Amino acid sequence: MPSETIETNSHILVTIACLSDNYAYLLREKKTGAVALIDVPEAAPIKAELDARGWTLSQIWLTHHHFDHIDGLPHLLPDYPAPVYGGADDAHRLPHLDVALNEGDNFQLGDTRIEVSDVSGHTIGHLAFFS
């Protein structure tokens, strides 16, 4: 499965196929070049996409603790160190968590304000990120 790219006036979103049936996402702010990685199922395809584009990571966002969303993180961080954001309720199950987030929190990706929403259901502590 090849990656897919969607561009808006302000951002580039890259969908990266991982494992046999999962995805990771790169979100790049055009103005500042800040790049967020959303979930890390496996490291190799993410590294390949970052290398091909010449991008570095500014942040890593974890939506929830399931292995198919976090297992690549220890293999990615040595080459792409970036702060890891994830749910405070899931902090005990999220590896390398630097920033613990709760419903209603917000933070910046470059000039873009990112808001945090708790969407527990699939898992307890599942987060969604939006701007």
Side-chain angles (χ1 to χ4, degrees), residues 62-64 86-90 93 118-121 123-127:
L62 302 177
T63 61
H64 65 290
D89 290 342
D90 242 0
R93 298 185 284 199
D118 183 323
V119 292
S120 293
T123 65
I124 294 171
H126 194 156
L127 298 181

Side-chain angles (χ1 to χ4, degrees), residues 17-130:
C18 294
L19 305 173
S20 62
D21 63 350
N22 211 331
Y23 298 94
Y25 303 90
L26 292 172
L27 178 65
R28 183 174 191 266
E29 185 183 70
K30 288 181 177 179
K31 182 178 175 185
T32 65
V35 177
L37 169 63
I38 301 124
D39 289 332
V40 194
E42 64 177 325
I46 295 166
K47 287 180 181 182
E49 194 68 41
L50 287 165
D51 290 346
R53 293 176 181 272
W55 293 355
T56 58
L57 287 179
S58 305
Q59 301 168 351
I60 299 169
W61 308 344
L62 302 177
T63 61
H64 65 290
H65 71 273
H66 285 165
F67 76 93
D68 59 342
H69 290 258
I70 65 170
D71 271 5
L73 188 58
H75 307 286
L76 185 75
L77 283 174
D79 296 324
Y80 292 94
V84 178
Y85 294 62
D89 290 342
D90 242 0
H92 63 289
R93 298 185 284 199
L94 294 173
H96 310 283
L97 190 63
D98 297 303
V99 181
L101 300 167
N102 292 291
E103 166 78 26
D105 286 346
N106 62 75
F107 59 93
Q108 295 293 126
L109 174 67
D111 290 340
T112 303
R113 180 181 169 177
I114 305 299
E115 297 183 31
V116 178
S117 182
D118 183 323
V119 292
S120 293
H122 175 64
T123 65
I124 294 171
H126 194 156
L127 298 181
F129 304 100
F130 62 97

